[in-house]
């Protein structure tokens, strides 16, 4: 099926970039540092945009009811398509309670990370498919769910030696890598050293598009990536 892909933009990008992408997401909404609600909610968005809430500022003694009120007003006023909870910290009783209430209270779909899933009838916001992992393998734990997939043009180095393997991130390669793995939707090269094999893996825009095409057949209805990257 066709996937609706959104580009997440900062407030500065929203105000600077013209024309805006067709499908955009506001990524500057945070837990307020000095009161119990949210900060940096947008004043205007194109109808059908997505609102992201992250936990760059940790939720501590915040008030779920105040946050629900703020988000309900925002998504109604701006006709948002969905709310995506981009929560990277470990769940706490407060954030779990907030997720549960948002899923059942907001007048739009709410996608939550797998660690915050409260039941089986709301969307999940799934991390990017890791380099070297098949799409189907990565998505298998969430079969049958409505999935939002995070997108990323990652590059990684996997070093295999006598003590096992280790993975480390790399900046994007300056030149295209010579080999392509169709099943893993990535490009790669292999370097032989005296005591190790080094596998460099990366995804191009074309790789990512092919990954999305496969993901669409496996329950992914929406995708989200950074405007500055994609």
């Amino acid at each position: 099926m066709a996937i609706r892909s959104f580009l997440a933009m900062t407030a500065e990008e929203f105000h600077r970039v013209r024309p805006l992408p067709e499908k955009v997401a506001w990524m500057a909404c945070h837990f307020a540092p000095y009161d119990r609600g949210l900060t940096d909610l947008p004043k205007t968005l194109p109808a059908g945009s997505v609102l992201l809430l992250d936990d760059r500022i940790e939720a501590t003694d915040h008030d779920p009811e105040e946050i629900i009120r703020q988000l309900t007003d925002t998504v109604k006023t701006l006709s948002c398509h969905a709310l995506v909870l981009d929560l990277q910290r470990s769940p706490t009783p407060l954030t779990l309670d907030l997720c549960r209430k948002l899923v059942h209270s907001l007048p739009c779909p709410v996608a939550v990370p797998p660690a915050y899933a409260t039941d089986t009838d709301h969307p999940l916001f799934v991390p990017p498919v890791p380099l070297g992992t098949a799409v189907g393998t990565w998505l298998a734990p969430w079969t049958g769910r409505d999935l939002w997939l995070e997108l990323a043009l990652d590059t990684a180095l996997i070093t295999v030696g006598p003590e096992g393997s280790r993975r480390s991130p790399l900046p994007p390669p300056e030149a295209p890598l010579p080999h392509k793995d169709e099943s893993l939707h990535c490009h790669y090269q292999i370097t032989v050293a005296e005591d190790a094999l080094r596998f460099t893996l990366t995804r191009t825009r074309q790789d990512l598009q092919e990954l999305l095409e496969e993901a669409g057949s496996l329950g992914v209805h929406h995708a989200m990536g950074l405007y500055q990257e994609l």
Side-chain angles (χ1 to χ4, degrees):
M1 65 168 294
I3 296 177
R4 300 184 68 177
S5 296
F6 291 82
L7 295 177
M9 304 177 72
T10 65
E12 189 275 333
E13 288 168 339
F14 259 100
H15 295 135
R16 172 178 55 83
V17 174
R18 291 295 181 273
L20 286 171
E22 182 180 356
K23 296 181 178 66
V24 294
W26 175 274
M27 60 178 292
C29 183
H30 314 292
F31 295 106
Y34 303 117
D35 62 42
R36 304 187 68 196
L38 302 177
T39 188
D40 296 328
L41 287 160
K43 297 293 190 292
T44 181
L45 286 176
S49 299
V50 169
L51 184 65
L52 281 91
L53 170 62
D54 65 43
D55 56 359
R56 181 174 63 84
I57 298 173
E58 186 175 6
T60 53
D61 60 347
H62 292 77
D63 180 4
E65 300 305 324
E66 171 63 13
I67 291 171
I68 290 170
R69 183 194 64 76
Q70 289 179 291
L71 289 173
T72 298
D73 289 348
T74 299
V75 300
K76 282 184 175 180
T77 301
L78 302 182
S79 300
C80 292
H81 175 68
L83 170 70
V84 172
L85 301 181
D86 185 17
L87 305 179
Q88 304 293 325
R89 299 176 186 266
S90 297
T92 67
L94 171 62
T95 54
L96 286 168
D97 180 56
L98 174 62
C99 285
R100 179 181 58 80
K101 290 178 176 177
L102 286 171
V103 163
H104 294 290
S105 300
L106 256 62
C108 69
V110 179
V112 309
Y116 286 85
T118 59
D119 50 43
T120 60
D121 61 356
H122 59 76
L124 295 181
F125 183 45
V126 178
V129 180
L131 285 163
T133 300
V135 179
T137 301
W138 182 244
L139 299 179
W142 310 295
T143 298
R145 299 295 298 261
D146 180 5
L147 301 181
W148 288 62
L149 179 63
E150 187 177 356
L151 304 177
L153 293 176
D154 293 332
T155 301
L157 173 66
I158 300 175
T159 302
V160 181
E163 297 179 356
S165 66
R166 65 180 185 275
R167 175 189 290 248
S168 54
L170 289 178
E174 295 182 359
L177 300 186
H179 308 295
K180 179 174 181 176
D181 190 306
E182 299 284 354
S183 63
L184 298 177
H185 305 297
C186 68
H187 281 71
Y188 68 95
Q189 70 178 14
I190 304 172
T191 304
V192 180
E194 183 177 343
D195 60 347
L197 287 175
R198 297 187 175 92
F199 299 85
T200 303
L201 295 82
T202 192
R203 281 207 175 96
T204 65
R205 295 175 186 274
Q206 182 62 34
D207 292 331
L208 202 59
Q209 181 58 44
E210 292 168 2
L211 183 152
L212 274 175
E213 291 172 4
E214 180 178 354
S217 67
L218 297 172
V220 174
H221 296 163
H222 298 79
M224 179 88 63
L226 294 177
Y227 169 83
Q228 58 194 259
E229 183 179 46
L230 301 177

